[in-house]
Amino acid sequence: MSKLVWASAKIRDAGTSSGDASEIVISNIITEGIEFSGDGKQTVQIANSQDVTESYMRGFTVRVKGVNDDSGTAILSDGNVFSDPASDTLTQALIELQGDTGADSVEIDDVYIMGENDLSNGRREIVLSCMVETISDSYTFS
Amino acid sequence: MVLLSKLAIIEAGSPDTVVNTSIVLDGADGATREGFSIEPVDITIENGQLYWPKATYRLEIAGLKGSSSDQTQLQTWAANGTDLNFSGYGTGYIFQGEGKINADPSVGGEAASWRMVSQKQSVRGYESGRLNARMLLSENGFNEYLWADDDSDGVANGWSSVGGGTFTFTGGNQDIEADNETTSLERELYFPFPGQDLTFSFTVDSYDNASNLTRNIEMEYLDDSGSTLSTDSDSFTGTGLQSVTNTVPASTNSIIFRIEITEGGTAASSIAFNNPSVRNDGSTVYIAR
C-alpha cells in the first residue's frame, strides 16, 4: 500500500510540470496542519437503491511554519497564491504535496489557491487552502 | 491568535495621549482568548471553490488596570469612536495598527484589569503598496508598506525623503544621490516601549563614493510632544547587510528610522539599498510581508 508522507509543497502555473519556471517549493510545511479531503459531493440513487457518485469535492489545506518559500521569497507574493484581492487577478494554479522518499506525491490542478497569515496556533503561519468540485477524481498520484 | 506582551494605544493626531499597558495573560476573565487574530471570510464560487475576498482582523486584550485617568481615557475613546493608533510587540513580532476600540473598564478575575476589543473587516493584502487592514503583525515592523514604489515618486512606499538630494526607486533598490548636501530616507513608527531592543537593518546594493561620501544609519527617539530625546547614529561603509541594535530610551513615544548620506561638495555621490527591516528578536533576516 502506498503511503502519504509529506516533505514539501509545490505551487506552479496550472497545467505545468514539476520544475516549471513558475514553481515555488515550500519545505516548512506543518505535517499536522495538512488537510487532504475527498468526499463524494453529488450522488444519485439508481436501480436497486444503488448510489452513484456524480461529483467529488477535492481540496488541500496546508500550513507553513514561516512566511517564505525555499528561495526566501514571501509565499503570499507568489502570483499563483491569491493573497491580495485588491490587486491580483484570480488565476487557477496547481498545488502538489511532494511525498517523502518512497511515498506518493499528490497534486490537484486548475484550482484557486487562497493564502493568508494564520495566527490561530499562537504563532504566525501561512495557510494555503483550495477546494474544487469535479466530475472525475481530480487528484493525481505519482 | 498570537499573544502580545505589551500594547500602547495612541490617539491619532494627538500622540501625547497614550495608554500603555501590560497585558494580562492569565487571571482576568476571558484572558485565554486575547491576542491578535486574522480570520479569512469564506465565499464559495464556481465549482465549489474557495474565495477569500476579505478577512476579520481582531485585537482583543485585557490590560492591567493602570491609573484612573487611563480608564477614563479608554472609555472616552470608546464612546467617541476616536481614531487610534496601536503599537505593540510579542515574542519575535511587532504589532502596528489603526482602528477604534470598544472598552470595558473593569473585568473580573484575580487581577484588576480592563478589556479592549478593536475589530474590523477589510479586504486582504496590499493596495497601492499599503496593507489594507492597517493592522500588522509581522517579524518586520516596516511591513505595513511593501518595499516598492507604487506611486512612482522615486521614494519607497511609506518612507519619506528629507533634505534634498535625488531619489529614484529602481529594481527593488532605493537610490539616493547627494551633491554637496545631506539627505536621508526616513520612516517613523510608534514604539513607546523603553528598554526594548530593536534591530534596524538593510542591505546596501552599491554605492558611488565619488566625493568622500559619509553614510549613517540612525534611530532618533521622540517623546510624546515630538521633541528629540536622543539619536543613535552609526556610520557604515561598503556593500551588503548593515545593521544596528539599540535599546529604546526612557520617555520614547516614537522612533524615526533613518538612512542618511552626506556629500562634501566635490562631486555627486550615491547609494543604492534595499530590504529595510526592524525586528525585536535581534535577527537581521529580511521578511517582506
Side-chain angles (χ1 to χ4, degrees):
Chain A
M1 182 168 59
S2 61
K3 294 184 177 179
L4 302 172
V5 183
W6 311 123
S8 62
K10 297 179 176 178
I11 298 172
R12 55 184 181 267
D13 290 350
T16 60
S17 301
S18 182
D20 185 79
S22 64
E23 184 174 270
I24 66 168
V25 181
I26 305 164
S27 288
N28 290 318
I29 57 175
I30 300 170
T31 308
E32 293 173 349
I34 294 175
E35 297 173 23
F36 172 41
S37 58
D39 297 314
K41 167 72 172 172
Q42 181 86 22
T43 60
V44 62
Q45 203 167 62
I46 59 170
N48 302 325
S49 298
Q50 297 181 84
D51 287 332
V52 175
T53 303
E54 296 183 309
S55 67
Y56 308 85
M57 290 305 295
R58 298 293 189 239
F60 293 148
T61 296
V62 179
R63 291 177 180 277
V64 186
K65 185 180 185 310
V67 297
N68 292 340
D69 64 23
D70 287 11
S71 72
T73 304
I75 295 166
L76 295 182
S77 67
D78 181 61
N80 284 317
V81 176
F82 186 71
S83 58
D84 281 359
S87 57
D88 288 355
T89 304
L90 203 58
T91 55
Q92 292 189 318
L94 180 152
I95 181 168
E96 174 185 355
L97 293 183
Q98 178 71 49
D100 204 350
T101 304
D104 274 354
S105 295
V106 60
E107 68 180 44
I108 186 168
D109 201 351
D110 296 321
V111 67
Y112 299 138
I113 301 169
M114 300 291 126
E116 183 54 286
N117 292 293
D118 187 273
L119 312 176
S120 57
N121 290 324
R123 58 177 173 266
R124 187 179 177 211
E125 302 170 350
I126 299 296
V127 61
L128 302 168
S129 193
C130 62
M131 182 68 69
V132 66
E133 180 181 5
T134 57
I135 292 174
S136 60
D137 184 359
S138 57
Y139 285 135
T140 303
F141 290 89
S142 59
Chain B
M1 62 185 62
V2 168
L3 297 174
L4 300 177
S5 303
K6 289 249 188 192
L7 180 77
I9 309 168
I10 305 123
E11 186 170 321
S14 181
D16 58 335
T17 310
V18 181
V19 171
N20 197 329
T21 188
S22 286
I23 295 177
V24 182
L25 300 180
D26 189 17
D29 288 352
T32 54
R33 65 172 185 268
E34 67 189 17
F36 179 59
S37 62
I38 304 172
E39 296 291 337
V41 173
D42 265 346
I43 289 178
T44 305
I45 59 171
E46 66 205 53
N47 302 328
Q49 298 199 73
L50 290 178
Y51 176 51
W52 293 349
K54 57 185 178 179
T56 301
Y57 300 79
R58 181 178 173 88
L59 174 67
E60 178 173 1
I61 63 130
L64 271 185
K65 201 152 193 141
S67 66
S68 58
S69 63
D70 280 355
Q71 308 313 308
T72 302
Q73 184 63 70
L74 289 164
Q75 288 178 279
T76 301
W77 282 336
N80 294 343
T82 306
D83 290 327
L84 302 168
N85 294 305
F86 306 117
S87 177
Y89 66 88
T91 307
Y93 300 105
I94 292 175
F95 179 79
Q96 297 279 306
E98 297 175 3
K100 304 175 191 298
I101 61 169
N102 184 17
D104 183 345
S106 297
V107 294
E110 300 297 323
S113 56
W114 54 276
R115 178 166 298 284
M116 182 217 82
V117 175
S118 181
Q119 177 173 305
K120 64 174 81 170
Q121 275 200 342
S122 170
V123 174
R124 301 186 305 119
Y126 291 78
E127 186 168 17
S128 301
R130 190 176 186 189
L131 189 66
N132 279 300
R134 310 288 195 263
M135 275 196 177
L136 169 79
L137 182 95
S138 178
E139 294 83 350
N140 182 355
F142 292 142
N143 281 350
E144 184 180 338
Y145 292 87
L146 292 178
W147 181 247
D149 179 20
D150 282 64
D151 61 2
S152 302
D153 65 350
V155 180
N157 298 323
W159 292 75
S160 301
S161 59
V162 177
T166 303
F167 287 73
T168 55
F169 195 94
T170 309
N173 283 318
Q174 177 70 68
D175 296 88
I176 308 177
E177 183 182 272
D179 188 358
N180 194 23
E181 61 196 335
T182 295
T183 186
S184 62
L185 187 77
E186 296 184 356
R187 177 85 177 270
E188 183 175 353
L189 295 182
Y190 288 114
F191 201 79
F193 306 112
Q196 279 297 298
D197 287 345
L198 290 177
T199 299
F200 176 29
S201 67
F202 60 95
T203 299
V204 177
D205 182 72
S206 62
Y207 64 92
D208 172 16
N209 190 10
S211 178
N212 195 24
L213 189 66
T214 301
R215 288 146 279 181
N216 289 320
I217 177 172
E218 295 185 347
M219 292 168 63
E220 179 180 350
Y221 309 97
L222 308 180
D223 65 14
D224 59 13
S225 65
S227 299
T228 299
L229 293 164
S230 61
T231 302
D232 283 319
S233 180
D234 296 89
S235 62
F236 63 90
T237 59
T239 58
L241 180 70
Q242 312 292 335
S243 71
V244 291
T245 298
N246 293 311
T247 303
V248 177
S251 303
T252 295
N253 192 43
S254 64
I255 304 171
I256 296 175
F257 299 87
R258 179 183 297 121
I259 299 158
E260 181 183 84
I261 65 171
T262 301
E263 193 279 325
T266 306
S269 298
S270 64
I271 182 173
F273 58 93
N274 56 54
N275 296 351
S277 173
V278 59
R279 300 182 58 147
N280 70 339
D281 57 2
S283 174
T284 56
V285 174
Y286 176 68
I287 299 293
R289 286 183 175 230

